[in-house]
Amino acid sequence: MSIRRFDGKEHAEAYKKYRPVFGEELFVRIMEYVWSSPVARKPEVLPSKADRLSLAADIGCGSGQSTKGLAKFFDSVIGLDVSEEQIQQAIADNTLDNIQFKASTAEDLPLDAVSVDLVTVGMALHWFDWPTFYKEVDRVLKPGGVIAVYMHSYWVEVVDHPKAPDLTAFLTALLREEPIYSYWHNRDKCLDARYTEEGLQIPYPDTERDESMALHITTNIEGLFGFLSTRSALNCYRNAHEEKWDTFWSDTINRFCELYGSTDMSSPLKYKLQIYLLLGRKP
């Protein structure tokens, strides 16, 4: 059974507002792997409606940001998430005719057998029951179909600031030290290990791992701390210590701002998140 840490309307709204969105580079890389199959011809012009594949399923889709990146490559895309609040947020924000969203666990997919060309999982695999999930993926994928699993680094790397190394070290310590570290779930540590654990590897003979891409985020101090507040360990600490949260969070932000050199939450800030992509093809 999937582990649930992202329920609640407030969390779904913050997730949608602050979580970084994976860009086209990632989805083109995934599609290059899909098109390398003898059963999926790469189109001459990208994208062409006539060359779209039939169906993609985005599992653990959250509020749907990454699901939208698949739309131009497929006739239909379905985003699935265990959180009803996340799904409602995704539906409210969706403007694309070929995308639908449904609430579902990852271990019992509402999809027909041998019906899916591509399964994607972004920043969610570590919460699944891996053997049961991969069995479901094998059931729904067509022969030659692809599963793509991706994550970005757990650690934020601040860039283009005179004190970038110090700011990065501050943010790392925030998550790696107490009181927050006690609220890490064991599955959070899969992100720290960059999805290298044996149990979550794609169980097909044709696989690839790609670490060549990164997200480059341009935001401000408010946007950075909004993103951090959606991290599961911080969210769990907040829920466990509501009476302490406001003081803890404002003190954390103040110390960061002092190091940054500005108390203005709209001050510009850039950071980098490394992308780790796992690809596998069903025989």
Side-chain angles (χ1 to χ4, degrees):
M1 181 178 293
S2 297
I3 297 167
R4 303 180 68 157
R5 279 198 156 191
F6 300 97
D7 291 325
K9 186 175 186 294
E10 181 181 352
H11 191 81
E13 291 173 349
Y15 198 99
K16 183 259 179 183
K17 182 177 181 180
Y18 293 116
R19 280 285 174 123
V21 177
F22 289 90
E24 184 175 17
E25 179 186 22
L26 172 67
F27 298 107
V28 170
R29 174 66 180 90
I30 291 170
M31 292 308 299
E32 289 283 353
Y33 185 78
V34 172
W35 289 322
S36 69
S37 167
V39 300
R41 177 178 63 87
K42 181 178 179 179
E44 294 297 325
V45 179
L46 178 65
S48 171
K49 187 171 182 179
D51 294 308
R52 286 179 177 173
L53 296 174
S54 176
L55 177 61
D58 186 26
I59 315 301
C61 67
S63 50
Q65 291 99 317
S66 295
T67 314
K68 297 170 186 176
L70 300 168
K72 67 181 180 181
F73 302 110
F74 293 88
D75 289 333
S76 298
V77 180
I78 183 167
L80 302 170
D81 197 277
V82 71
S83 169
E84 183 66 42
E85 291 86 358
Q86 293 278 14
I87 290 297
Q88 291 305 314
Q89 185 71 54
I91 291 171
D93 294 335
N94 183 40
T95 60
L96 299 172
D97 293 338
N98 65 331
I99 293 183
Q100 61 176 313
F101 294 97
K102 291 183 180 179
S104 169
T105 68
E107 296 82 9
D108 186 16
L109 301 174
L111 301 168
D112 292 336
V114 197
S115 65
V116 180
D117 298 289
L118 172 67
V119 170
T120 58
V121 186
M123 294 296 294
L125 180 65
H126 49 293
W127 300 120
F128 298 170
D129 179 329
W130 304 328
T132 308
F133 170 67
Y134 279 131
K135 185 176 180 180
E136 271 292 88
V137 170
D138 192 64
R139 180 184 68 82
V140 303
L141 276 181
K142 298 175 182 178
V146 167
I147 175 171
V149 174
Y150 56 91
M151 59 160 286
H152 61 63
S153 54
Y154 201 84
W155 311 111
V156 173
E157 179 184 350
V158 177
V159 297
D160 295 343
H161 187 280
K163 295 184 178 179
D166 294 333
L167 294 169
T168 296
F170 178 93
L171 297 173
T172 300
L174 169 65
L175 293 170
R176 195 180 280 282
E177 297 177 1
E178 298 299 347
I180 302 304
Y181 189 72
S182 293
Y183 289 84
W184 278 45
H185 193 282
N186 284 338
R187 295 295 184 89
D188 280 316
K189 296 173 184 178
C190 297
L191 296 172
D192 194 19
R194 306 180 304 281
Y195 277 5
T196 56
E197 290 87 343
E198 183 177 353
L200 58 65
Q201 301 308 303
I202 298 170
Y204 290 141
D206 180 352
T207 61
E208 292 184 13
R209 181 179 175 93
D210 190 330
E211 301 183 9
S212 66
M213 296 171 286
L215 289 170
H216 299 273
I217 310 300
T218 299
T219 183
N220 53 31
I221 296 175
E222 190 271 338
L224 169 66
F225 278 88
F227 164 51
L228 292 173
S229 72
T230 69
R231 289 293 178 87
S232 64
L234 280 163
N235 197 45
C236 287
Y237 176 82
R238 178 180 184 175
N239 291 338
H241 300 284
E242 292 183 359
E243 75 286 356
K244 299 179 180 179
W245 172 256
D246 287 345
T247 300
F248 168 79
W249 199 233
S250 62
D251 179 63
T252 300
I253 293 172
N254 288 339
R255 288 188 291 118
F256 181 89
C257 287
E258 182 178 358
L259 187 60
Y260 178 97
S262 172
T263 59
D264 184 353
M265 293 295 284
S266 67
S267 297
L269 188 142
K270 296 180 181 180
Y271 65 89
K272 173 184 172 182
L273 299 168
Q274 188 67 36
I275 295 174
Y276 302 94
L277 171 64
L278 311 181
L279 296 160
R281 192 186 320 279
K282 179 178 177 178

